[in-house]
Amino acid sequence: ASSSFLLPLSFHTSKRRRRRIMGNQRARSRGLRHGTRNMFTRGFRQNGPKNATTYLRTFRIGDYVDIKVDSSQHKGMPYLVYQGRTGVVWDVTPHAVGVEVNKQVGGRIIRKRLHIRYEHVQHSRCREDFLARRKANDEAHAAAKKAGKKIVTKRAPAGLPREGFTLENVKTEILTPIPYDIVREGVQL
């Protein structure tokens, strides 16, 4: 005999069926952007519309670029593993750049090619020191050649090797320990 009285869903269905209907409420998220609450947030007072310079930057093949995700632009966003990586531009399209990045997988390093929108990419400063040093070395070589000299612009570790020295007028002094008597030292009269 069927009754018109209906019990709640939790009573009619098993625990396994309820989990299948509602989804596992305690499951760990494994989506494309899992664990990026802090990684993809913009900095303090950096919110709001993007600057025009974001779109006016010129990228050329061979440029070094840093991948820095702008969370306000969802299109062309790279996967979270590539956040903060530096790569080389290998392709330029109207709205994106192709970036070649090294990724360690197990014990080997794979070159990955990604297309990333301009909003998530900025020019890298990783080669500034090298380019400045190369320019200074070229100028130094040109000046030395003009003067008829040869110079070495090779870098050496700072302070290595240190100069040796010899100690003079040193007297040796032999130290011997004084015996410690617990009975004599511990008791005070």
Side-chain angles (χ1 to χ4, degrees), residues 9-27:
L9 176 72
S10 58
F11 186 83
H12 287 294
T13 56
S14 66
K15 198 179 223 181
R16 187 174 290 158
R17 177 156 165 67
R18 263 181 297 160
R19 183 171 287 168
R20 204 168 63 235
I21 293 168
M22 294 179 59
N24 188 356
Q25 298 297 306
R26 293 195 205 107

Side-chain angles (χ1 to χ4, degrees), residues 16-17 20-21 26 36 38 40 47-48 50 56 73 98 106 113 115 120 127 136 149-150 162 166 173 177 181 189:
R16 187 174 290 158
R17 177 156 165 67
R20 204 168 63 235
I21 293 168
R26 293 195 205 107
T36 59
N38 296 320
F40 285 175
N47 297 307
K50 290 173 277 302
L56 295 174
Q73 173 60 269
R113 286 188 156 191
H115 275 99
H120 310 295
R127 281 171 60 87
K149 296 178 184 174
K150 267 197 167 184
R162 290 188 295 185
T166 307
E173 187 178 339
D181 191 353
L189 297 172

Side-chain angles (χ1 to χ4, degrees), residues 35-47:
T36 59
R37 173 180 286 186
N38 296 320
M39 188 189 297
F40 285 175
T41 51
R42 298 177 72 178
F44 178 61
R45 295 175 66 180
Q46 298 297 316
N47 297 307

Side-chain angles (χ1 to χ4, degrees), residues 2 8-9 51 175:
S2 66
L9 176 72
N51 297 325
L175 300 173

Side-chain angles (χ1 to χ4, degrees), residues 7-8 14 24 35 43 49 101 133 135 137 168 177-178:
L7 293 170
S14 66
N24 188 356
V101 184
R133 195 175 75 248
K135 185 180 178 184
N137 287 351
E168 295 175 357
I178 300 168

Side-chain angles (χ1 to χ4, degrees), residues 67 78-85 101-103 112 114 116:
I67 299 171
Y79 184 59
L80 60 94
V81 167
Y82 302 104
Q83 166 77 349
R85 298 292 181 92
V101 184
N102 288 337
K103 181 183 179 186
K112 306 285 278 189
L114 320 167
I116 304 170

